[in-house]
Amino acid sequence: MNAADDKTIVREYFNSTGFERWKRIYGDGEVNKVQLDIRNGHQQTVDTVIGWLKADNNLATLSICDAGCGVGSLSIPLAADGAKVYASDISEKMVTEGKERALQTLGKAENPTFAVQDLESLNGSYHTVICLDVLIHYPQEKADEMISHLCSLAQSRLILSFAPKTCALTLLKKIGSFFPGPSKTTRAYLHREADVMKILETNGFAVQRKAMTKTRFYFSRLLEATRM
């Protein structure tokens, strides 16, 4: 399938059966053991990003684009800490849920600013652009285009995560264990870290910090790159 098909599949999945599944995973209600493992893994990635940003001691001065914000797991705490956050997602249902959670948590609607947009249509200029757990839905060629576009939006820094392509994870994917269960997500694409770093370098960015989140069913390489 081509990239357009991938985008359509992602949009339709997260506006239908996928929405209810991931709403539960990204919430705090009861889930099965696999979903709990993925919830914990995703939260570890979010916590790492928040830790990086807080360590710089300037979070309240930053403008941040959270591309592929889901239900606001990252956007809401960043806004609570004073950052100006622009949050977007391809799924209208995810964005609606994010808005509701922001109102419940923050008691206001001005920040974060939520919008229904696919990644390619994002515009503007932000100090920091963040894209977590999105690239897994797209093949390398499309991921390269997405990363390049995100770089064009970032004044200073880009933080992104992806499922690293290793022998072990490739094997898990082949045997159907990467995203187990009857309610599978979209196709899971793995990406070589060297390929991602090459695209970042081509766009004038250098990796400053790395992290790896690894649980039984969640694997995510996290990179922070800044303009050279």
Side-chain angles (χ1 to χ4, degrees), residues 119 126 129 144-158 160 196 199-205 225 227:
L119 191 150
Y126 311 88
V129 175
D144 290 349
E145 295 176 5
M146 289 179 163
I147 294 170
S148 294
H149 182 59
L150 292 173
C151 286
S152 73
L153 305 177
Q155 300 167 3
S156 179
R157 172 171 51 193
L158 173 62
L160 55 82
V196 175
I199 291 297
L200 290 170
E201 292 170 0
T202 299
N203 284 277
F205 283 76
R227 283 199 177 275

Side-chain angles (χ1 to χ4, degrees), residues 11-27:
R11 180 185 292 108
E12 291 180 351
Y13 174 77
F14 284 104
N15 275 324
S16 56
T17 58
F19 169 70
E20 291 300 328
R21 181 189 187 213
W22 290 96
K23 177 185 175 182
R24 291 194 303 272
I25 290 175
Y26 293 151

Side-chain angles (χ1 to χ4, degrees), residues 15 17 48 62 90 95 102 117 132 154 170 184 186 190 194 204 211:
N15 275 324
T17 58
T48 298
L62 301 185
I90 196 173
V95 168
Q117 282 183 286
L132 303 183
T170 299
K184 281 196 172 186
T186 60
L190 310 181

